Amino acid sequence: MIDQLSEIERTGLEALEAVQNEAELEAWRVAHLGRNSGLMQVFSKFGQLSKEEKPVVGARANEVKKAFENGLAAKAEAMKQAALKRTLSQEQLDVTLPGRRIPLGRLHPDTQTLRELYRVFGEMGFQVFRSREVESDEYNFQLLNFQIGHPARDMQDTYFIEAEGRGDNPIVLRTHTSPGQIHAMRWISSMNPDNPPPVRIVLPGMCYRYEQVTNRHETQFDQLEGLAVGPGITFSDLKGTLADFARRMFGQNTRTRFRASYFPFTEPSAEFDVECFLCGGRGCNVCKGSGWLEIGGCGMVHPVVLRNGGYAPERYSGFAFGLGPQRMTMLRHKIDDIRYFFQNDLRFLEQF
Ligand code: DAH
């Protein structure tokens, strides 16, 4: 019987070797593992064996069965792999490959804050005016009432571009968005120089300063400038506008305060604070216990600046302000390092 089992095993495995497709494999399974197979007949005759023979034949029969079952599984797998290989080589498009996920993008936190600012100021009648980032000394400083050598220039460490023969008017990367005031006023007043139309705009964009980079200072940062020019505009309009802005931006009950300050292009000038929107004015570590957050500078447009823009200061007045959107974003989300904004690290960006 042991010899018979060896013969069953040899012919069975040989036949398996010759199997070409799934139908043949199924036929093989019925013939060699099925109820009428030689192997199963050995099992059915088991009862007739002597006590000594039983364990020996039993072990051998199980061995053959195991070999058949393993052979069957290996053959099935090999045929599946061969079929896949065949389709892969014949078909251009492999629909069995899982698709590549397309990561969803989102807006940079700076852009989100800027868009919110456009919305708020848009509701108040301000249009967005885009101005250049590469400026001349004249626009960045002189026309804004910072004469050459003016001490207030020291507040804005500047990137000067070496360009031959420009004398006192070198090329600079703008240190603030304020030069856009001059471009905007000149453009708008040129539409009707004798009776220039009123101005109500916000000017967003990047500014550049030669800074020692730290967690609070970067060599580039966003500003949002505001400018309103027209007949009879007063400091009350400035206060009302910024107070309304703060309520729309930070909540209905947000209080504001103005502290006297100095800028060459405004007179009078003020620093503009809002009540800390994180602690509601009670004092926390973000507002350093004061209850107030410094949001920007503002003031009444200086007569020299109005005239440089084409608006006669005898007939027109105006107010201006400059806000730091990045600072607002940092305060809002308690971001403690301004360098994150430009590192393009997804671990940072994906949080917004
Ligand atoms: N340009 C100023 C700065 O970067 C900010 C500023 C202050 C803008 C007062 C204004 C203003 O329009 O009225 O430091």
Side-chain angles (χ1 to χ4, degrees), residues 327-344:
R327 207 174 124 64
M328 283 183 216
T329 310
M330 290 175 76
L331 292 168
R332 250 186 175 176
H333 299 294
K334 303 194 180 136
I335 300 166
D336 55 9
D337 196 325
I338 195 171
R339 288 170 289 197
Y340 288 129
F341 286 101
F342 304 110
Q343 285 168 343
N344 287 336

Side-chain angles (χ1 to χ4, degrees), residues 144 146 155-156 175-179 181 207 209 221 223-227 238 262-263 265-266 268-271 296-301 319-323:
L144 290 169
F146 295 78
M155 296 193 294
Q156 307 192 359
T175 57
H176 51 174
T177 43
S178 304
Q181 289 189 24
C207 303
R209 292 191 196 176
F221 53 93
Q223 278 194 347
L224 184 78
E225 189 91 8
L227 178 67
L238 167 61
Y262 172 78
F263 301 101
F265 41 90
T266 44
S269 305
E271 219 77 57
C298 60
M300 298 306 290
V301 182
F319 64 76
F321 54 86
L323 308 175

Side-chain angles (χ1 to χ4, degrees), residues 56-287:
V56 186
V57 175
R60 181 72 183 119
N62 275 325
E63 212 176 275
V64 175
K65 186 162 177 254
K66 202 86 240 130
F68 280 4
E69 281 167 357
N70 289 343
L72 178 73
K75 189 79 184 184
E77 180 59 27
M79 273 166 40
K80 206 169 115 199
Q81 290 301 328
L84 180 62
K85 221 172 177 171
R86 216 174 312 121
T87 11
L88 279 179
S89 65
Q90 282 165 10
E91 292 173 21
Q92 293 284 352
L93 183 67
D94 176 12
V95 291
T96 67
L97 268 185
R100 253 172 238 147
R101 285 176 75 92
I102 299 172
L104 271 189
R106 62 191 83 201
L107 294 174
H108 192 282
D110 268 350
T111 309
Q112 291 180 26
T113 304
L114 276 172
R115 290 199 178 177
E116 207 171 332
L117 289 165
Y118 302 158
R119 179 182 60 76
V120 167
F121 281 112
E123 285 168 3
M124 297 165 74
F126 287 79
Q127 280 180 283
V128 174
F129 185 97
R130 299 234 167 235
S131 184
R132 62 192 69 176
E133 293 178 17
V134 178
E135 274 296 359
S136 61
D137 186 282
E138 185 187 18
Y139 273 86
N140 196 77
F141 293 120
Q142 297 166 38
L143 293 168
L144 290 169
N145 208 23
F146 295 78
Q147 293 86 355
I148 291 148
H150 194 294
R153 285 182 177 226
D154 290 350
M155 296 193 294
Q156 307 192 359
D157 299 310
T158 313
Y159 285 113
F160 291 92
I161 310 295
E162 275 183 40
E164 287 292 310
R166 290 189 60 92
D168 284 336
N169 191 22
I171 304 284
V172 300
L173 295 182
R174 69 173 173 193
T175 57
H176 51 174
T177 43
S178 304
Q181 289 189 24
I182 303 288
H183 288 293
M185 281 193 284
R186 287 190 168 179
W187 184 64
I188 295 169
S189 66
S190 73
M191 294 174 191
N192 189 1
D194 294 331
N195 202 11
V199 178
R200 199 183 282 184
I201 51 171
V202 284
L203 307 102
M206 278 295 158
C207 303
Y208 304 87
R209 292 191 196 176
Y210 180 67
E211 297 274 3
Q212 175 83 45
V213 176
T214 68
N215 61 332
R216 293 180 55 99
H217 293 95
E218 251 290 3
T219 54
Q220 68 179 96
F221 53 93
D222 265 311
Q223 278 194 347
L224 184 78
E225 189 91 8
L227 178 67
V229 178
I233 290 182
T234 66
F235 199 90
S236 300
D237 295 318
L238 167 61
K239 285 188 78 171
T241 303
L242 286 181
D244 194 21
F245 150 73
R247 286 191 294 263
R248 287 170 190 258
M249 186 84 185
F250 304 116
Q252 264 312 307
N253 301 317
T254 308
R255 293 194 302 158
T256 47
R257 76 173 182 189
F258 294 78
R259 288 176 290 118
S261 185
Y262 172 78
F263 301 101
F265 41 90
T266 44
E267 183 59 38
S269 305
E271 219 77 57
F272 168 55
D273 299 344
V274 298
E275 198 171 44
C276 180
F277 44 75
L278 293 164
C279 65
R282 283 187 302 276
C284 64
N285 61 343
V286 174
C287 61

